[in-house]
Amino acid sequence: MVGSLVDLNETGQPGNAGWRRALALLLAAGFFALDCFMPLGVATGVPYVAVILVSLRLPSSREVLYFALGCSVLALLGIAVSPGPGGAELWKVGANRILALFAIWATAAVGLQRRSAQDALSASNESRQDREREHAISLSENQARLSGVIQSAMDGIVTVDEDQQVVVFNRAAEGLFGVSAADAIGGPLDRFLSERIRREQPDLIRRFAESGEASHRLGSVSELLGRRSDGTEFPVEASISQVKVGGERLFTAIIHDITERNRASAELAVRAEQEAVVADLGRRAFLARSFEKTIQECLETLAGTLDVEFAKVLELLPGRRELRLVAGTGWKVNPSETPPIPSDPSTQSGYTLAVDQPVVVTDLESETRFAGPVLLEAHGVRSGVSVVIYGDDGPYGVLGVHGREARQYSDSDIDFMQAIASFIGLAARRARADDLLRVTEKRAREAESLASIGTIMAGIAHDVGTPMNVIMGYADMLERSLTNPKERERATHIKEQIGRIVRLVDTLLNMARPAKSVFVPVQLDVLLDSSLFFYQEKLRRHGIAVKRSFEPVPEIRGSADRLQQLFLNLFVNAVDAMPDGGTLAVQLRPVGDHEVEVRVRDDGAGIPAADLERIFEPFFTTKQRGEGTGLGLVVSKSIVVDHGGSIEVSSGPGSGTEFRIRLPRDGHSPTPSGAD
């Protein structure tokens, strides 16, 4: 009973304490009144236990003691006021009251002790509940922190259960595989493995589970491939761990995409290979004596290293309007037979010169900056890179590589090409320096030869010239005096040979002591027409047609007489080269803003390559003995040089000969005064 009342007290509401206290007081008063009217021998003190029981439901333990003390006083006070028998019954009265006091205090003690135990238990329960709440909060916070760590991790984190169904899929994994967590969770792990891994290692997770290892690294850089939602595969590194949660085994994989690392490693390897190639080419370029061989080695090495089909070097021609193919690898054409291309930005090479930086074409079919030249289109080129080759005084030309497939070119590829272009530029500068040295040496030898001729001719001019004039006079008299045709023909032949000797002496004297010239404005088209007019009869007799192609050109400053001598010398050589007739082509055109070009071409037998290098040497001739002096081209070259120009020749057996003369518009004369 005490226990049940105390239990009820635990469930009581604080607002009920007032009426319980009143009830306890009312009961105490009622029991005291009853005690006053009852005989002493009746145990009326025991009902006070009910008061104690009611007080035990009060919130304060001290009030229970107060009620127990009050009930004890009332029980003792009832002895004095209650009616009862005489002295013979006093021991019963005493026993009755002692029993009442014992019941009161025993009930209070037991009730208070039980209350204390209940309070301790309640406190323990509350403490346990607090700890559970704190643990739940801590667990929730830890889960939130763990979820935050997982979601913020740079690597993909994927957790699967024993059935290999995805249960965790973080944001990094979403980015790696291109699948949202909502789509991935609950789905199979296989969808994120490459076809080869699924085929070769279908039980990868099961074998790891059976191994009992806590964690393990899967695969290697070259073996493990992930699979994105679009089907593309990519290299990954992954480590896997296993843990049991609630009796269920979970497997967590941390996945790192190593695509960029592999690319960087491959690029470093390529760069190292390219640097080794550059070092080797530098050594060979330093030791090589042939410019053509150096260029060809560079192009073959470049094409092989970059894994392309074609490579080429284009040289910027004088005037900077055209580019000429001088070397290449992979092409089906001979560079010497390839016509020049414009150097304007309409082509890739011209555009490269215009922007003065590397130009990359990933797909020529979609290129909008320029058009593909005929050479590239004929070889099915789709991609390429071009860089400028620099010389001493600006661009020398363009280095280009090309492939038949559309592709990307890395920065290291471009750096490699620029290094090769530097070697080619260095080789070109060295070759030009060697050519200049050879020309200088050749001119020095020619000058020495001419000086010797001048010294000799100055000494023999009178000794040879005067007798020749006398002989010529007598030969002329003899010719007029003879009437026999055969004898007259012999005299005429004597005169022709004497005239040839006189002209040779005059030519040598002109070379040794050239006449002073003054430059005046000259119309080259008029001068060329007059030179052709002077020679038209001989051209007609030899069956030679003239093909004239003159573009409008400005006047130049020069010596008309000496320039006409130059053109007549070239016409004479052309006629001699076509004894059976042919075509003499004469072309005039402007070159840039400061030069004009004259081309004289015949379709004769041509000049062998071995003789081509010597045609400007004094006394060298390709004509039959007795038909030439070997001085005409020497004089022609001296005239061009005096005008500040240049003369070039190209020829080959059976392909005719072409002379190209370039003259500056303003001209220059080494001796500004004198007479023609």
Side-chain angles (χ1 to χ4, degrees):
M1 179 178 180
V2 173
S4 62
L5 287 175
V6 172
D7 290 340
L8 289 173
N9 179 45
E10 297 302 321
T11 62
Q13 300 297 322
N16 296 331
W19 69 264
R20 289 175 183 148
R21 190 177 295 109
L23 177 59
L25 291 174
L26 183 61
L27 287 174
F31 291 145
F32 179 72
L34 180 62
D35 192 24
C36 290
F37 293 101
M38 294 296 291
L40 284 175
V42 180
T44 55
V46 175
Y48 285 111
V49 172
V51 176
I52 301 304
L53 292 176
V54 173
S55 68
L56 285 172
R57 300 190 63 186
L58 295 175
S60 174
S61 298
R62 185 175 298 178
E63 288 187 275
V64 176
L65 295 177
Y66 290 159
F67 274 101
L69 181 60
C71 288
S72 299
V73 172
L74 291 176
L76 293 176
L77 187 60
I79 298 175
V81 297
S82 296
E89 300 292 330
L90 287 178
W91 67 272
K92 293 182 179 180
V93 174
N96 180 279
R97 297 303 169 180
I98 292 172
L99 178 61
L101 293 176
F102 175 78
I104 291 171
W105 287 102
T107 301
V110 172
L112 289 176
Q113 185 178 8
R114 186 172 180 83
R115 170 184 281 188
S116 177
Q118 291 287 351
D119 289 343
L121 179 60
S122 176
S124 175
N125 290 336
E126 290 180 0
S127 176
R128 179 176 55 80
Q129 292 174 356
D130 290 342
R131 288 194 302 271
E132 290 177 352
R133 281 194 298 271
E134 292 175 358
H135 178 71
I137 293 172
S138 176
L139 181 61
S140 176
E141 292 176 349
N142 289 338
Q143 289 177 340
R145 282 194 292 268
L146 178 60
S147 176
V149 170
I150 291 174
Q151 293 301 327
S152 63
M154 300 296 291
D155 292 334
I157 298 178
V158 179
T159 300
V160 299
D161 57 21
E162 291 180 308
D163 296 328
Q164 298 190 29
Q165 301 298 308
V166 177
V167 296
V168 174
F169 202 80
N170 73 340
R171 292 193 188 95
E174 292 179 332
L176 282 178
F177 296 102
V179 178
S180 67
D183 292 337
I185 292 176
L189 177 65
D190 281 357
R191 65 183 296 193
F192 305 117
L193 300 178
S194 68
E195 292 290 343
R196 184 172 60 84
I197 296 297
R198 284 189 285 179
R199 182 177 62 255
E200 298 177 1
Q201 303 186 51
D203 56 350
L204 183 65
I205 300 296
R206 181 186 60 78
R207 286 189 287 108
F208 171 64
E210 293 175 353
S211 70
E213 297 181 56
S215 62
H216 179 70
R217 180 176 176 176
L218 295 177
S220 64
V221 174
S222 61
E223 294 178 343
L224 195 60
L225 296 174
R227 186 172 184 270
R228 294 191 172 94
S229 59
D230 59 3
T232 59
E233 297 181 353
F234 61 102
V236 298
E237 279 184 344
S239 61
I240 187 170
S241 60
Q242 59 177 318
V243 64
K244 282 190 175 181
V245 178
E248 182 182 9
R249 184 175 294 172
L250 298 178
F251 304 90
T252 298
I254 299 177
I255 304 165
H256 180 65
D257 184 354
I258 57 174
T259 301
E260 284 301 313
R261 190 176 73 186
N262 286 0
R263 184 195 60 77
S265 298
E267 188 170 317
L268 286 176
V270 169
R271 188 177 291 273
E273 178 187 359
Q274 292 173 351
E275 289 176 354
V277 170
V278 168
D280 181 61
L281 281 178
R283 178 185 60 81
R284 286 190 282 171
F286 179 77
L287 297 175
R289 305 304 302 175
S290 170
F291 174 58
E292 292 76 12
K293 183 178 180 181
T294 299
I295 290 183
Q296 197 62 37
E297 287 184 353
C298 287
L299 292 179
E300 291 173 358
T301 302
L302 181 62
T305 303
L306 296 185
D307 192 23
V308 295
E309 291 87 354
F310 310 102
K312 69 178 187 297
V313 170
L314 296 170
E315 180 185 15
L316 191 60
L317 296 178
R320 301 183 180 276
R321 286 190 172 186
E322 293 179 324
L323 288 160
R324 177 172 61 93
L325 181 65
V326 295
T329 181
W331 309 103
K332 298 178 181 178
V333 297
N334 189 333
S336 63
E337 299 174 356
T338 304
I341 63 171
S343 61
D344 57 61
S346 63
T347 64
Q348 180 177 349
S349 298
Y351 185 82
T352 304
L353 291 172
V355 300
D356 195 25
Q357 62 184 13
V359 174
V360 179
V361 176
T362 57
D363 191 345
L364 193 59
E365 293 182 358
S366 59
E367 181 59 56
T368 59
R369 294 171 293 180
F370 41 77
V374 176
L375 178 65
L376 301 187
E377 294 178 353
H379 288 77
V381 167
R382 288 194 61 186
S383 64
V385 182
S386 54
V387 299
V388 179
I389 303 172
Y390 295 98
D392 286 327
D393 53 352
Y396 164 80
V398 175
L399 170 65
V401 297
H402 306 278
R404 289 194 175 100
E405 300 294 332
R407 59 171 282 187
Q408 299 288 337
Y409 293 87
S410 66
D411 292 341
S412 62
D413 293 338
I414 297 173
D415 293 341
F416 179 57
M417 283 194 62
Q418 289 180 314
I420 299 298
S422 298
F423 283 128
I424 295 176
L426 179 62
R429 293 193 292 272
R430 181 176 175 179
R432 285 184 175 179
D434 291 343
D435 291 343
L436 180 60
L437 179 60
R438 284 194 293 269
V439 170
T440 303
E441 292 175 346
K442 184 177 180 181
R443 287 181 178 177
R445 290 193 299 269
E446 292 174 356
E448 291 176 0
S449 177
L450 291 176
S452 299
I453 293 172
T455 302
I456 294 172
M457 294 310 299
I460 67 172
H462 292 87
D463 296 335
V464 175
T466 301
M468 287 298 104
N469 289 329
V470 174
I471 295 172
M472 176 65 78
Y474 279 106
D476 186 58
M477 292 173 58
L478 179 63
E479 180 187 24
R480 288 197 300 270
S481 66
L482 294 174
T483 58
N484 188 303
K486 290 186 177 180
E487 293 177 349
R488 188 180 182 89
E489 183 180 353
R490 294 190 186 105
T492 302
H493 184 66
I494 291 172
K495 284 180 59 179
E496 289 177 353
Q497 295 303 315
I498 293 172
R500 184 170 177 269
I501 294 173
V502 172
R503 288 194 300 274
L504 175 61
V505 172
D506 290 341
T507 299
L508 292 173
L509 286 174
N510 288 335
M511 290 175 57
R513 296 178 299 192
K516 295 181 179 180
S517 301
V518 61
F519 285 3
V520 296
V522 176
Q523 284 281 38
L524 284 180
D525 54 347
V526 175
L527 191 60
L528 285 168
D529 280 336
S530 65
S531 300
L532 288 171
F533 178 78
F534 293 152
Y535 217 59
Q536 64 179 350
E537 183 60 26
K538 190 170 184 179
L539 292 170
R540 184 186 61 78
R541 286 201 312 268
H542 284 77
I544 297 174
V546 177
K547 183 179 179 181
R548 179 181 175 278
S549 176
F550 293 175
E551 297 181 21
V553 297
E555 290 182 339
I556 70 166
R557 291 187 59 80
S559 170
D561 290 340
R562 300 197 70 199
L563 289 174
Q564 190 167 55
Q565 182 183 359
L566 162 67
F567 299 143
L568 288 173
N569 284 344
L570 297 179
F571 295 161
V572 168
N573 286 341
V575 171
D576 291 342
M578 297 183 290
D580 299 326
T583 301
L584 172 64
V586 183
Q587 181 183 6
L588 174 65
R589 70 185 186 98
V591 178
D593 297 330
H594 306 289
E595 290 182 311
V596 295
E597 182 180 69
V598 178
R599 296 192 178 196
V600 178
R601 180 177 180 84
D602 64 67
D603 52 8
I607 303 173
D611 295 339
L612 198 61
E613 298 180 355
R614 302 185 57 196
I615 61 173
F616 293 111
E617 295 180 4
F619 305 111
F620 178 81
T621 180
T622 60
K623 300 177 183 178
Q624 296 295 325
R625 185 176 181 83
E627 295 182 4
T629 63
L631 295 175
L633 289 179
V634 178
V635 173
S636 299
K637 183 175 181 179
S638 67
I639 294 172
V640 173
V641 172
D642 286 345
H643 282 75
S646 63
I647 181 170
E648 296 179 350
V649 60
S650 60
S651 182
S655 61
T657 302
E658 181 181 74
F659 286 91
R660 296 180 296 277
I661 300 98
R662 289 199 175 185
L663 299 170
R665 288 180 54 185
D666 53 0
H668 74 275
S669 174
T671 53
S673 63
D676 287 337

